[in-house]
Amino acid sequence: MKLSIILAPYDSGLYHAGFGQGPDAIIAGGLVDELALRGHDVVVEDIGEVGDAQKREIATGFAVCRAVAAKVDLARDDERFPIVLTGNCLTAAGAVAGDAADSIIWIDQHGDLNTPETSAYGFLDGMALATTLGLCWRPMTSAIPGFQAIDPSRCMLVDARDLDPDEKRLLDTLPIIRTRCSDAPDAVGKLKAAGAVRAHLHLDLDVLDPDVLQVNRYTKSGGPNPDQLRQLVCGLARSIPIAGVTLSAYDPAFDAKGEVPPVVGQLLGDLLAAIERT
């Protein structure tokens, strides 16, 4: 398979800081070699420095989305499957715009469903899924080339075990499909019933159980182990066409032994094998 690995190494508007160091660490950990050994034709592109000179989080965050959308669109033109490695979950809004997915599978220990009106901390990345669903920041997403908000009925939220009270209340009002990892492949039928044809797969690595593998400082106990997560994404790929992948939130400062990159390599390698078999 022809692949385009797109690096968006940003964390809260900062280039190569915090989670923004994750994409390069995953590449340095052997991802390209792993995928090439499996027979894939891999190109790697970094979006580079974007945003304004003041490095303001909101302006830069959406500039990252625009740059990623453009890179993903070019990958599709070259018939390459896009994989976006990024620090922040908000980047998924750009990836969805670029790969023209009509649905999204959001695997994350957090809901990312806050809005500017409900966020207790003003954390932009805590609004990432809400943004992708068109619930907030609409003037900003309208400037992302190709962006179309995903209908909440075509959103599957997997293993969100750390939700704010306002997120829980919002979920009670929306037709988002909530499921645990073990049940997610069976829940794909609900996505299809809502009209889903091509899904974007967003994977925040903090969904993993930190007692087995810690990827950043925000993780809470629970969630799947790496083998269970790998089985999950492969099952999803066998259930619905995957248009593209976003993988986020790895902070190598919390992975002193460098255990995460090989796990990512095996996960993505097996996922791509499952996609090729469908």
Side-chain angles (χ1 to χ4, degrees), residues 33-52:
D33 290 341
E34 170 73 21
L35 298 180
L37 284 171
R38 291 180 181 240
H40 299 293
D41 174 4
V42 185
V43 297
V44 180
E45 295 187 87
D46 191 313
I47 65 168
E49 290 198 67
V50 299
D52 60 5

Side-chain angles (χ1 to χ4, degrees), residues 38-171:
R38 291 180 181 240
H40 299 293
D41 174 4
V42 185
V43 297
V44 180
E45 295 187 87
D46 191 313
I47 65 168
E49 290 198 67
V50 299
D52 60 5
Q54 290 78 26
K55 298 181 179 180
R56 292 173 292 189
E57 179 183 7
I58 296 170
T60 302
F62 284 99
V64 169
C65 290
R66 293 193 296 273
V68 165
K71 291 286 189 183
V72 171
D73 188 53
L74 287 173
R76 290 177 62 232
D77 286 346
D78 196 28
E79 298 183 338
R80 291 185 177 274
F81 183 84
I83 299 172
V84 179
L85 305 182
T86 184
N88 291 144
C89 294
L90 180 69
T91 309
V96 166
D99 65 27
D102 59 21
S103 54
I104 192 161
I105 301 170
W106 196 273
I107 305 173
D108 196 328
Q109 76 159 353
H110 302 104
D112 293 344
L113 283 165
N114 280 305
T115 69
E117 291 77 20
T118 65
S119 176
Y121 306 103
F123 183 39
L124 183 61
D125 223 37
M127 310 176 204
L129 181 53
T131 301
T132 305
L133 300 181
L135 305 179
C136 60
W137 298 111
R138 286 183 287 273
M140 304 298 282
T141 56
S142 68
I144 302 172
F147 180 81
Q148 295 288 330
I150 300 293
D151 189 297
S153 67
R154 295 199 298 271
C155 170
M156 181 188 297
L157 179 60
V158 184
D159 213 63
R161 60 188 184 271
D162 185 10
L163 297 169
D164 296 340
D166 281 319
E167 290 180 304
K168 293 178 181 177
R169 283 190 284 270
L170 182 61
L171 280 168

Side-chain angles (χ1 to χ4, degrees), residues 9 25 31 43 48 63 65 80 88 103 219 236-237 239 245 251 262 270 278:
L31 177 61
V43 297
C65 290
R80 291 185 177 274
N88 291 144
S103 54
T219 53
L236 291 169
S239 302
V245 175
D251 187 345
D270 288 359
T278 57

